[in-house]
Amino acid sequence: MGTPAKSFSVAEPTESAVLRAIRTACREVTHNAGLLLFFGGCAPGFMQVVAQSIAQQAPGVPALLVSAAGVLTEAGELEGQPAVAGLVWSGAKVAVHPLSASSPEQMAKSVLRALPEKTRRADTALLFTDPQRFDPDILDLLNQERIPPRIVGAGAVSAPATVCVGTEGQITPGAAALLVLRGLTPPKIAVSPACRLLMPLGIITETRGSVILEIEHESALEVLNRLGKDLTGQPLILTALAPEESAAEAGPPELLLRGIQGIDPVRGGVLVSPEVRPDLRMAFAVRDPEAARLDLEQKTLELMRGTAGAAPLFGLYFNCAGRGRALYSSPGVDTRIIKSRFGSLPLLGMLSSFEIGPYRDEIALHMYCGVLAVFTQPS
């Protein structure tokens, strides 16, 4: 009897080495349902070459190939070198869909077509896209349609961002693609930001468009300048946005990390993103390895408890390229944390340009975060 899922990785990959790894994984998995492959630092055109071979040698198995900054499995991370990582699994109906990226409206319509209304409440989807062609308005449009927050994914790093291999062997490279899983228990998902707050969360008291003018009635720029004076090494300063405080809030609030896009010295404002508005809470923050490690340890513990009683199937981890070795100065920190909670659970992940995951029961764009989704077998 085969295993329900199998991950694998190939360092310094060749076409034949990748195909051997795929064949080995497929032999170990009963009733192959789908194949997901991440390509980190590989030569242009290599994804298409492998896609052609998959279409010929694994007929009938839908596959999605995605470009990445680095790849990982439960065995560790492969960063700063050409590498391919993949996952084969059973127990689900799988479809891959190339997406139109001509406009946010067209991409949102493509996603909705791939998620029929009669099944979308039970479907889980993986969304990957070229960051140069992605607009956060796409997620806003999906949220307006009340799509459940079970779309997770990431920004790819090079063109083509994705290559789809259909069940009839058709190969479609493109700027974006969706992989839909049907028949699996909805995954448990955790989002872990890699930041340390430089101040307590304060209420945004005045904005103008995407510019935060005041925090707790104090000039946002003056707050930023005051905090910046105490920092050494010129770290990247971020903004952490949080929802309005609720009496039902238990534990740390959910955070959205955003970069600072500019300053307005005349009005004393800080340009952030369209999400800002009065009454939200915010704090300035910096990337911090110890804070990132502690938060991921806590989030994976909560996730492990949330899956108690269910048989784990596999995990997916979308990790910002600003984490990994760039954050910790050593490889494999996040994968070791995940493995300490979930043992030998097959895991596939990529280092990404941004992440997509839940935020306040909606689908959101995340930055400098790790998004972990753990799938379990239907009971």
Side-chain angles (χ1 to χ4, degrees), residues 195-255:
C195 75
R196 171 173 58 87
L197 301 186
L198 298 174
M199 56 183 281
L201 288 166
I203 296 174
I204 299 173
T205 46
E206 186 177 356
T207 64
R208 182 168 297 178
S210 299
V211 178
I212 299 173
L213 295 176
E214 290 185 355
I215 307 166
E216 300 282 357
H217 301 288
E218 182 180 1
S219 162
L221 184 55
E222 289 181 5
V223 174
L224 175 61
N225 288 336
R226 185 175 66 249
L227 295 170
K229 290 178 181 178
D230 297 328
L231 298 175
T232 59
Q234 297 183 326
L236 176 65
I237 301 179
L238 308 169
T239 56
L241 304 177
E244 301 90 335
E245 191 167 10
S246 167
E249 185 174 281
E254 294 182 80
L255 297 177

Side-chain angles (χ1 to χ4, degrees), residues 60-143:
V61 178
L64 179 58
L65 293 68
V66 184
S67 69
V71 301
L72 61 90
T73 68
E74 70 277 12
E77 300 174 13
L78 293 171
E79 185 181 359
Q81 62 176 307
V84 174
L87 180 76
V88 181
W89 66 93
S90 62
K93 295 181 179 179
V94 175
V96 292
H97 301 271
L99 300 178
S100 169
S102 58
S103 70
E105 293 77 14
Q106 286 301 316
M107 186 181 286
K109 288 179 180 178
S110 295
V111 172
L112 292 172
R113 284 195 296 269
L115 293 170
E117 191 168 359
K118 64 180 180 180
T119 63
R120 70 176 57 149
R121 294 291 164 187
D123 293 344
T124 299
L126 311 179
L127 173 62
F128 302 96
T129 175
D130 182 337
Q132 303 301 320
R133 306 285 292 276
F134 180 77
D135 188 319
D137 286 349
I138 295 162
L139 303 183
D140 292 338
L141 292 168
L142 295 176
N143 287 326

